[in-house]
Amino acid sequence: MRINKVIKETWEQHPDWQEKFWQFMRFGIVGTISSAIHYGVYCLVLLAANPTLSFTAGYAVGFVCNYFLTTFFTFRSKPSSRNAVGFGFSHLLNYLLEVGLLNLFLWIGFGEFLAPILVLIVVVPINFLILHFVYTYKNK
């Protein structure tokens, strides 16, 4: 009972935590939608191409959807050249990490349909931190 009271008091004393929590929840929703699009395109292209090319095609389609949903819904911002460049750069790093992990998981022996799911489990928290910085950092 005491721990619930401590959590409630802490939560109420730090309203910025509440916004960050809901921001992370919105990020999860956007990520789920974008990941489903990415994975769906990956599976379709996999019928005709190798896993790396299929992953790249899925990433490209998911990227466009992800940018607009992240901008408007997750961080409640407006598209700008600054956040577009930051988003693009973060996703370039993210893409390189994802393709590297995809090929690592395939090499280890995970199947072509499971490997991309494992990749997402690793990179989602990293991507949130990078995008949080891109959308909330203010130049002084």
Side-chain angles (χ1 to χ4, degrees), residues 3 31 36 40 52 70 106 119 121-122 124 126 133:
I3 195 157
T52 302
T70 297
L106 290 171
V119 168
I121 291 169
V122 173
V124 165
I126 296 167
F133 176 79

Side-chain angles (χ1 to χ4, degrees), residues 26-86:
R26 291 189 305 267
F27 178 81
I29 292 166
V30 168
T32 300
I33 292 167
S34 298
S35 296
I37 292 168
H38 178 180
Y39 189 71
V41 171
Y42 168 82
C43 290
L44 286 173
V45 177
L46 191 59
L47 298 171
N50 69 52
T52 302
L53 182 61
S54 300
F55 194 85
T56 302
Y59 197 92
V61 174
F63 174 83
V64 174
C65 176
N66 197 345
Y67 172 70
F68 289 105
L69 287 173
T70 297
T71 301
F72 290 116
F73 182 65
T74 303
F75 294 104
R76 298 183 175 167
S77 185
K78 293 181 180 171
S80 70
S81 58
R82 184 186 169 280
N83 65 31
V85 168

